[in-house]
Each structure stands twice: as structure tokens, then as C-alpha cells.
């Protein structure tokens, strides 16, 4: 079997052959009358077949079968796949056919002109009258080489992973659909989507270690967002009622199967909402997304049937060490469960519970043993907030890194008056993991954070 370098050398020679023939192997313009997805629709295909109308398609050669005076190819444009038939001099000119045999390979992007027909085996096919190179590939596709069995290599070369594993592409298409449905639900509920800064003078809104960068012109440090809830609440103080942002967050923490330093999160705040109304909102949201995605309210995750048809369970956060909770209790929470009644120390921005100031009016949603949502009645008392900030600052002075430092601008905004409100944070990557039945967060992030090979 030829090595990759030998294949590459051979393909470079084919590239030169095309150039010597006066052909640009990477032309600037492409003609494509329709996507393959459009032409293979039964109604459209039948109309094209009956009319004998010539049309031009484009795509990447996925497979190639040379049978002497005819060549069959399968090519894919990202929307669908169709068969191409090249016949020597019928109607493809002899010189074009011979050039194809000499210079074209699996992996090349091509433009093909011809008419559609159905083979005796009922295969939708385009009979080529013209064929043109759009992009000459210099390396073999993985399925024609050795595949991508190395998991780290799959993540490093996601483009090859997508090509060789159709299920991976489907997973990311489903991710896009999930995000679309979440956004659709929020907009239907009257929320306004906003854009918030990714360069922040303070890393506030969550107790997490931030990433720091430096702006040369201003000669000052900025932080990438660990959360955006402070900006969202300032918008409520400024007169907005319902706001959300769906974007990237960055936390300078460890990497494991459920954590990536750069991740996607939806955060929302709603004036006059509390933890109970937010729980109802979250339950309705999850049922909406699952019903739209699966056409039913249950799905399979890691061999278990997750049922969203019944009301979500509610239980107090267990009085156990954090380690015991993570190792023993959380993994057992397979069906949708809201954990409520957390100690004040768990969050510096959550409102204390009425009748029990040692607890905060906060909840988390756990499904399939995975924490998906963090939400609470937001603290809008500037005096209490200042005291909480002082406690966070004391932790920082003792060397703790995962704190939310005092933000005097935010405190000032609170002092102008902030409506009672509820805030929600949804980990999009983890939700996609749940709804696509995978256990590793890297499987749902197109380009996850990885340590360099060297």
C-alpha cells in the first residue's frame, strides 16, 4: 500500500498535468444550477428526467469506479449525494474522459454538466457531457486510507472526522437545530436577544477562574466572560423586561468529559420572575425542545429512557460533601430533577429564601446525571450584594481563584433600583450531549480545546 507521501507526490504530478494543459485546478468561479438535495427530491428529479434538461451540479468525489470506457462516481455537495456517469465520447468528449482518468481522484471537487436519468437499478444519476476541476485534493480521504480510529486525532482534524463519520455530521446538525429551537422558544416568550461584551474589565457574574488578556492601546487588562448575568441585570435596571444572550463563555479550569475551557451558554433574565416561575419556564422549554426534536417527550440516553412527559421531580440539595454529591447522588438522578434550597455560600448573586436566610432561592436541573441548568431568584438588594462581595473579596485575599470580585459599577446600577428578577443559565454543550446520547463534551464541540501534540 502506498504511503500518504507517495500518494501526495502522485497527486502533485496530476496537478502539474492539469496546469500544463492550461487548466486552472482551483478556478475562481463555480457554476451550480441546483444543490444535489434539490435535484434528488422525487418530484424535481422526475421533472428533470422527463424534460432531458441539462443542468450543472458540483461537489466532492466520494467514490470512483472505472470500468474501461465508462466511469461511475459518487459525489457530494454537502446537501446530498448523487451518482455521476462518464461515458467515453457518449456524450463526454474523448479528451475530457482521458483527462479525467489521468488527473482526477477521490476527494477532488468537480463541476459536472449533463442530464438526469434513472439507471436499471433505480439509481439517480447524471450523465456527464462536461466535467471540470474545481479543487484538486492532494491527500487521500480517510476512509480510503486508514480511517480515523484515534479519538484525539478525530478532534484535531474535525474536517476528516466529519467526512469519514456521517453520524458526527448529523450530531452537529442536530446541535444547530437544538440551538434554533431554544432561541425560537425564548423569542416566542417575548425575550429580546442581546449582544454583550467579551472583553470585560472584571470577570464577574460567577465564581470561576477567568482568562486574562491585555489591550495595548488602553494599556489595561481585560477578562473573557465567565458569565454575562451582570450585564443582563443592568439591562433590567435600564428598563428591559426579558433579555437573553447565547454565546461563548471562558473559564480557566480543568478539562474533562463534561468541561471545556471555552463553552456555549445561554443566559437569560426576566423582570418580576422568581425561582418557582423560572422552574416552570425551564420545564416548558425542555419539553418544547424535546417534542420538536424527537416528535415525542422521551428519548434514549446511555441505554436509559429519559421521560419528560411527567412533571419534573423537585428535591432539596442534599446535605452532603460536594464529592459525595458528584460521585454518588448526581449520577443517580436520571429523570428530570430540580435540586433546590442551596446554602448561601454557593452563589453570591442569589436571593435568600423567605423564612430561611441561610439558604438561597436557587435551583439546578439534572437529567441523565448531568447538570444542565443553574437558575435562581436574583439578588436585587444592593446592601446585601455589597456584603456578599466583601465575602468574595476575602476569599480572593486568601488565595481562592474561583471568586466573583466586587464590581462597583454593577453595585451602582443596583442602587438606582433593579426589579425583582429571575436568572437562568443553560449549558448548551451538555444539553447537546444529552440529546445526542454522548458522554464526552468534545463530541459536541466542533473544535474542542486540546493540548498541542508537540
Amino acid at each position: 500500500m502506498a504511503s500518504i507521501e507517495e500518494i501526495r507526490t502522485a497527486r502533485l504530478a496530476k496537478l502539474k498535468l492539469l496546469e500544463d494543459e492550461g487548466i486552472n485546478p482551483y478556478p475562481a468561479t463555480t457554476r451550480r444550477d441546483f444543490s444535489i438535495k434539490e435535484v434528488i427530491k422525487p418530484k424535481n428529479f422526475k421533472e428533470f428526467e422527463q424534460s432531458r434538461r441539462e443542468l450543472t451540479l458540483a461537489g466532492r468525489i466520494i467514490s470512483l469506479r472505472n470500468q474501461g470506457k465508462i466511469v461511475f462516481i459518487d459525489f457530494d455537495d454537502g446537501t446530498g449525494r448523487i451518482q455521476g456517469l462518464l461515458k467515453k465520447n457518449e456524450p463526454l468528449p474523448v479528451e475530457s474522459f482521458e483527462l479525467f482518468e489521468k488527473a482526477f481522484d477521490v476527494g477532488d471537487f468537480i463541476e459536472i454538466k449533463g442530464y438526469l436519468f434513472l439507471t436499471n437499478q433505480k439509481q439517480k444519476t447524471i450523465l456527464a457531457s462536461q466535467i471540470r476541476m474545481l479543487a484538486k485534493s492532494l491527500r487521500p480521504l480517510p476512509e480510503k486510507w486508514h480511517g480515523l480510529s484515534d479519538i484525539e486525532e478525530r478532534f484535531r482534524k474535525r474536517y476528516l472526522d466529519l467526512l469519514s463519520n456521517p453520524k458526527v455530521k448529523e450530531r452537529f446538525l442536530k446541535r444547530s437545530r437544538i440551538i434554533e429551537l431554544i432561541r425560537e422558544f425564548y423569542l416566542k416568550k417575548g425575550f429580546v436577544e442581546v449582544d454583550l461584551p467579551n472583553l470585560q474589565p472584571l470577570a464577574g457574574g460567577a465564581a470561576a477562574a477567568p482568562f486574562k488578556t491585555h489591550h495595548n492601546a488602553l494599556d489595561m487588562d481585560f477578562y473573557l466572560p465567565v458569565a454575562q448575568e451582570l450585564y443582563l441585570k443592568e439591562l433590567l435596571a435600564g428598563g428591559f423586561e426579558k433579555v437573553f444572550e447565547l454565546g461563548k463563555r471562558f473559564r480557566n479550569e480543568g478539562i474533562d468529559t463534561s468541561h471545556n475551557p471555552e463553552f456555549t451558554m445561554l443566559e437569560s433574565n426576566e423582570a418580576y420572575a422568581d425561582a418557582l416561575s423560572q422552574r416552570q419556564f425551564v420545564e416548558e422549554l425542555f419539553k418544547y425542545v424535546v417534542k420538536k426534536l424527537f416528535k415525542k417527550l422521551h428519548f434514549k440516553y446511555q441505554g436509559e429512557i429519559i421521560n419528560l412527559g411527567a412533571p419534573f421531580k423537585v428535591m432539596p440539595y442534599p446535605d452532603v460533601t460536594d464529592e459525595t454529591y458528584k460521585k454518588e447522588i448526581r449520577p443517580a438522578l436520571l429523570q428530570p430533577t430540580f435540586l433546590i434550597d442551596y446554602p448561601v455560600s454557593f452563589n453570591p448573586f442569589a436571593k435568600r429564601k423567605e423564612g430561611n436566610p441561610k439558604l438561597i432561592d436557587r435551583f439546578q436541573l439534572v437529567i441523565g446525571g448531568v447538570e444542565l441548568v443553574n437558575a435562581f431568584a436574583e439578588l436585587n438588594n444592593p446592601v446585601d450584594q455589597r456584603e456578599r462581595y466583601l465575602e468574595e473579596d476575602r476569599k480572593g485575599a486568601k488565595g481562592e481563584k474561583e471568586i466573583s470580585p466586587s464590581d462597583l459599577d454593577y453595585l451602582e446600577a443596583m442602587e438606582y433600583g433593579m426589579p425583582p428578577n429571575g436568572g437562568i443559565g443553560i449549558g448548551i454543550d451538555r444539553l447537546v450531549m444529552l440529546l445526542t446520547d454522548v458522554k464526552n463534551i468534545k463530541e459536541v464541540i466542533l473544535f474542542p480545546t486540546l493540548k498541542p501534540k508537540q
Side-chain angles (χ1 to χ4, degrees), residues 244-263:
F244 78 96
E245 194 209 43
L246 205 163
K248 292 291 187 181
R249 306 292 182 263
F250 306 85
R251 297 183 182 179
N252 201 348
E253 301 165 352
I255 298 175
D256 58 32
T257 56
S258 62
H259 293 86
N260 194 68
E262 177 182 357
F263 59 100

Side-chain angles (χ1 to χ4, degrees), residues 150-280:
D150 186 291
I151 294 177
E152 286 290 310
E153 199 70 1
R154 286 181 50 231
F155 300 147
R156 291 181 194 283
K157 298 179 180 177
R158 182 67 85 185
Y159 52 95
L160 294 181
D161 189 26
L162 293 166
L163 282 173
S164 29
N165 300 316
K167 287 184 179 179
V168 173
K169 182 179 178 181
E170 285 300 317
R171 185 182 308 137
F172 285 103
L173 290 174
K174 186 174 282 188
R175 177 190 171 105
S176 179
R177 177 61 175 154
I178 292 166
I179 292 172
E180 177 188 356
L181 290 170
I182 293 171
R183 180 176 275 116
E184 181 178 279
F185 182 86
Y186 266 88
L187 294 175
K188 282 183 177 180
K189 291 293 184 179
F191 279 76
V192 176
E193 186 170 10
V194 295
D195 290 315
L196 301 173
N198 280 332
L199 291 177
Q200 303 178 357
L202 283 173
F211 285 93
K212 184 165 70 172
T213 188
H214 189 79
H215 188 275
N216 293 332
L218 293 176
D219 192 24
M220 64 177 289
D221 290 335
F222 283 92
Y223 299 88
L224 298 180
V226 296
Q228 296 284 29
E229 73 164 84
L230 302 189
Y231 287 104
L232 290 169
K233 288 186 285 188
E234 286 184 17
L235 293 177
L236 298 189
F240 280 88
E241 180 200 7
K242 300 177 180 181
V243 288
F244 78 96
E245 194 209 43
L246 205 163
K248 292 291 187 181
R249 306 292 182 263
F250 306 85
R251 297 183 182 179
N252 201 348
E253 301 165 352
I255 298 175
D256 58 32
T257 56
S258 62
H259 293 86
N260 194 68
E262 177 182 357
F263 59 100
T264 304
M265 192 171 182
L266 182 142
E267 292 181 79
S268 66
N269 281 80
E270 178 181 356
Y272 315 111
D274 56 21
L276 177 59
S277 67
Q278 297 291 68
R279 287 211 314 262
Q280 295 166 344

Side-chain angles (χ1 to χ4, degrees), residues 261-429:
E262 177 182 357
F263 59 100
T264 304
M265 192 171 182
L266 182 142
E267 292 181 79
S268 66
N269 281 80
E270 178 181 356
Y272 315 111
D274 56 21
L276 177 59
S277 67
Q278 297 291 68
R279 287 211 314 262
Q280 295 166 344
F281 180 92
V282 166
E283 183 167 340
E284 187 180 352
L285 165 65
F286 272 61
K287 289 181 176 181
Y288 179 87
V289 171
V290 168
K291 185 67 180 291
K292 288 277 189 176
L293 200 64
F294 298 107
K295 312 302 180 188
K296 54 192 176 185
L297 283 174
H298 60 270
F299 59 93
K300 186 175 285 188
Y301 177 69
Q302 300 298 300
E304 300 286 343
I305 299 297
I306 307 296
N307 179 25
L308 272 64
F312 291 7
K313 297 177 184 177
V314 180
M315 63 177 281
Y317 180 76
D319 188 13
V320 293
T321 62
D322 188 53
E323 183 180 358
T324 302
Y325 162 71
K326 289 179 178 178
K327 287 187 176 181
E328 299 179 15
I329 296 175
R330 186 177 66 193
L333 300 177
L334 299 178
Q335 301 306 320
T337 303
F338 288 120
L339 295 176
I340 63 172
D341 296 345
Y342 286 77
V344 172
S345 60
F346 271 64
N347 192 290
F349 301 106
K351 189 171 287 188
R352 297 174 194 267
K353 288 206 73 171
E354 297 282 352
N356 191 344
K358 293 183 179 181
L359 299 178
I360 51 177
D361 201 11
R362 176 203 190 199
F363 69 87
Q364 286 192 302
L365 175 63
V366 179
I367 305 178
V370 180
E371 290 175 354
L372 300 170
V373 177
N374 178 35
F376 42 84
E378 299 278 0
L379 182 61
N380 64 333
N381 178 344
V383 177
D384 192 356
Q385 184 66 75
R386 190 178 294 273
E387 291 173 357
R388 304 264 198 107
Y389 266 145
L390 289 174
E391 177 59 28
E392 289 292 295
D393 291 341
R394 281 192 286 269
K395 291 179 182 178
K398 292 178 180 178
E400 289 190 32
K401 293 182 178 180
E402 296 184 4
I403 65 161
S404 190
S406 292
D407 188 330
L408 299 180
D409 289 336
Y410 175 65
L411 281 171
E412 183 178 334
M414 289 187 76
E415 290 185 353
Y416 279 101
M418 181 177 291
N421 70 94
I424 295 172
I426 303 173
I428 299 298
D429 307 305

Side-chain angles (χ1 to χ4, degrees), residues 27-68:
T29 59
T30 302
R31 178 180 172 183
R32 184 171 72 142
D33 297 330
F34 302 95
S35 69
I36 294 176
K37 180 181 179 180
E38 290 175 304
V39 301
I40 62 176
K41 288 179 180 177
K43 182 181 177 182
N44 293 345
F45 186 87
K46 188 174 182 179
E47 289 178 359
F48 285 124
E49 182 185 21
Q50 291 177 345
S51 68
R52 303 287 283 184
R53 170 188 168 187
E54 280 203 321
L55 66 157
T56 303
L57 304 177
R60 182 200 294 266
I61 299 175
I62 301 301
S63 66
L64 189 158
R65 303 173 298 283
N66 194 320
Q67 299 178 9

